[in-house]
Amino acid sequence: MKRAIISGMGMYVPEQVVTNDDLATVMDTSDEWIRERTGIEERRYGARQKESTVSFATIASERAIEDAGIDKEDIDFIIFATLSSDYYFPGCGVLLQRELGIQKTEIGALDVRNQCSGFVYALSVADQFIKTGMYKRILVVGSEMHSMGLDFSTRGRGVTVIFGDGAGAAIVEATEEEGRGILSTHLHSNGDGAEQLCMINPGAHGGRYDDVDYGYPDATFGSSFITQKMIDSGLNFPYMNGQLVFKTAVKKFPEVIGEALKTNGMSPEDIDIFVPHQANLRISQFVQRLLKLRDDQVVNNIQKYGNTTAASIPIALCEAKQAGRISKGDVVCLAAFGSGFTWASALMRW
Ligand code: UT7
């Protein structure tokens, strides 16, 4: 049977380091609060007007292509996961194709909007295309430039301090090699949590889900994706019910990892390396204790980069690979939880 392996990885984080103390100069927060609650020490922010979600992704992709030892023209499909797309539309996939200079190949480009679970969802889509034989080499990218869309006033501190910028990319390739590759992926969602971690504006909802006054013009038709009132009231920024997200995450991470293990007749002892979505160090530590994994079996880099949403797993996986923490044949477990709510896992033999 054809299986999909990750044959190359690349990552990029922007140069500008923003510490917790830096944030404390613009909002009422502290290094102590952020470290204690999240484990985050610093994050990276892109250079405004020079860099973007797509420019990060381009560098990460070029590095993944080089790591896989292929030519960029060998890629036959692009899957791009992000919540901070360069344009409202079209998606980032086509922009990445253009920046890579492979638009003449006219390969398909798909955008995935599954936030923190975006990379695992994208990997699962790639896996299905490989298994059916439709494509042989797929570029799967997670990239975010959160810093362009955060509320840097004290009002936004519960969300803003968590997020950082960066990108990770993987070349997902077909192999006939026995025993290697993605063993299974498991994707879940529950739309009841949609407004618990969200950025609803700009959007076409028109206020039909709640009774908030968004300041829509009093007319039967007219442009309403974004109104002055939304901007004045900060309704154009992300919102998170942190405690509920935390509680749900610590329930769903073990559930979806358990599902992956059960499907493959494995138990937690069979995991060689666990790469959780970097949402909060406390969440990862909780899951680690539950699975009884040693520190060297869990990849955590939230301390340096914060939560980079769709980019967090490919960045962590890439760093682990570069540090020689993953060997051929290792059982690698990826798991994510986030906005939607969506959650997902992938189990692979490297
Ligand atoms: O990747 C997507 C998934 N996201 C997550 O998994 C995030 C899950 N949630 C969390 O990680 C935590 O809920 C947070 C780290 C976001 C927040 O921690 P918390 O312990 O749940 O804090 P809280 O929101 O309940 O706020 C506690 C207090 C509040 O003050 P009062 O009302 O007790 O006076 C907040 O106003 O901390 C205050 N606060 C802050 N103080 C300093 C909130 N944010 C900050 C801040 N600095 N940045």
Side-chain angles (χ1 to χ4, degrees):
M1 191 179 89
K2 257 194 206 70
R3 277 247 168 87
I5 53 163
I6 293 182
S7 61
M9 293 225 62
M11 61 171 278
Y12 173 79
V13 287
E15 257 175 49
Q16 188 184 187
V17 175
V18 176
T19 64
N20 296 338
D21 284 333
D22 291 333
L23 289 180
T25 65
V26 295
M27 63 178 76
D28 182 10
T29 190
S30 67
D31 179 51
E32 192 193 1
W33 191 96
I34 300 171
R35 267 179 209 255
E36 209 168 274
R37 311 257 176 156
T38 69
I40 299 167
E41 294 164 21
E42 57 189 40
R43 73 285 293 139
R44 305 293 184 98
Y45 287 169
R48 292 200 300 168
Q49 286 130 35
K50 292 197 180 76
E51 294 189 295
S52 73
T53 295
V54 171
S55 80
F56 299 160
T58 306
I59 301 171
S61 300
E62 284 166 348
R63 291 175 177 170
I65 290 164
E66 195 188 337
D67 188 46
I70 61 167
D71 291 327
K72 56 188 180 180
E73 285 79 13
D74 295 334
I75 295 165
D76 44 21
F77 197 65
I78 293 171
I79 310 180
F80 199 124
T82 187
L83 67 69
S84 49
S85 54
D86 277 18
Y87 293 150
Y88 191 89
F89 74 83
C92 287
V94 294
L95 301 178
L96 175 61
Q97 184 213 54
R98 186 175 68 189
E99 301 246 320
L100 287 171
I102 53 169
Q103 58 274 52
K104 286 215 175 73
T105 61
E106 297 192 347
I107 57 166
L110 172 72
D111 275 52
V112 167
R113 295 186 47 167
N114 285 74
Q115 301 72 243
C116 302
S117 314
F119 184 80
V120 184
Y121 264 75
L123 191 66
S124 177
V125 174
D127 185 36
Q128 312 316 311
F129 278 138
I130 299 277
K131 278 187 185 143
T132 60
M134 182 146 171
Y135 299 121
K136 290 196 182 64
R137 277 191 202 96
I138 303 177
L139 170 60
V140 181
V141 190
S143 182
E144 306 284 0
M145 185 153 173
H146 283 305
S147 61
M148 291 289 272
L150 297 170
D151 181 354
F152 286 99
S153 72
T154 295
R155 182 180 60 191
R157 65 182 179 176
V159 173
T160 300
V161 300
I162 293 172
F163 292 105
D165 297 349
I171 303 295
V172 180
E173 195 165 345
T175 184
E176 303 280 353
E177 228 179 300
E178 267 313 299
R180 288 188 72 204
I182 296 173
L183 304 173
S184 67
T185 55
H186 303 271
L187 312 178
H188 294 282
S189 75
N190 183 340
D192 279 344
E195 289 80 15
Q196 304 303 325
L197 175 47
C198 61
M199 188 174 115
I200 65 169
N201 298 307
H205 60 87
R208 61 181 285 265
Y209 301 105
D210 54 41
D211 48 16
V212 175
D213 175 10
Y214 291 99
Y216 290 118
D218 187 18
T220 49
F221 57 86
S223 181
S224 295
F225 260 30
I226 189 100
T227 64
Q228 193 56 48
K229 177 146 192 186
M230 289 173 188
I231 295 168
D232 295 342
S233 321
L235 292 163
N236 56 321
F237 289 120
Y239 165 79
M240 176 166 69
N241 178 346
Q243 294 206 0
L244 180 74
V245 173
F246 194 103
K247 277 186 210 146
T248 317
V250 293
K251 193 164 162 274
K252 293 302 179 188
F253 265 103
E255 239 177 65
V256 78
I257 295 164
E259 189 181 4
L261 292 170
K262 191 169 170 212
T263 302
N264 294 286
M266 292 185 188
S267 56
E269 300 87 75
D270 294 309
I271 297 175
D272 292 301
I273 195 124
F274 172 49
V275 185
H277 162 54
Q278 308 288 301
N280 183 320
L281 189 59
R282 311 294 162 236
I283 295 176
S284 301
Q285 288 167 335
F286 176 87
V287 179
Q288 176 181 348
R289 277 196 300 276
L290 222 60
L291 297 174
K292 298 193 172 69
L293 297 174
R294 301 182 310 270
D295 286 352
D296 64 296
Q297 290 176 289
V298 184
V299 183
N300 288 311
N301 61 9
I302 191 169
Q303 301 91 329
K304 293 187 291 179
Y305 306 131
N307 177 348
T308 58
T309 309
S312 93
I313 288 182
I315 290 176
L317 191 59
C318 184
E319 282 198 335
K321 179 177 183 278
Q322 287 172 354
R325 293 178 67 182
I326 312 177
S327 310
K328 198 171 166 182
D330 277 355
V331 172
V332 180
C333 179
L334 314 180
F337 175 87
S339 166
F341 294 138
T342 61
W343 60 102
S345 65
L347 205 63
M348 63 185 94
R349 201 176 278 283
W350 197 260

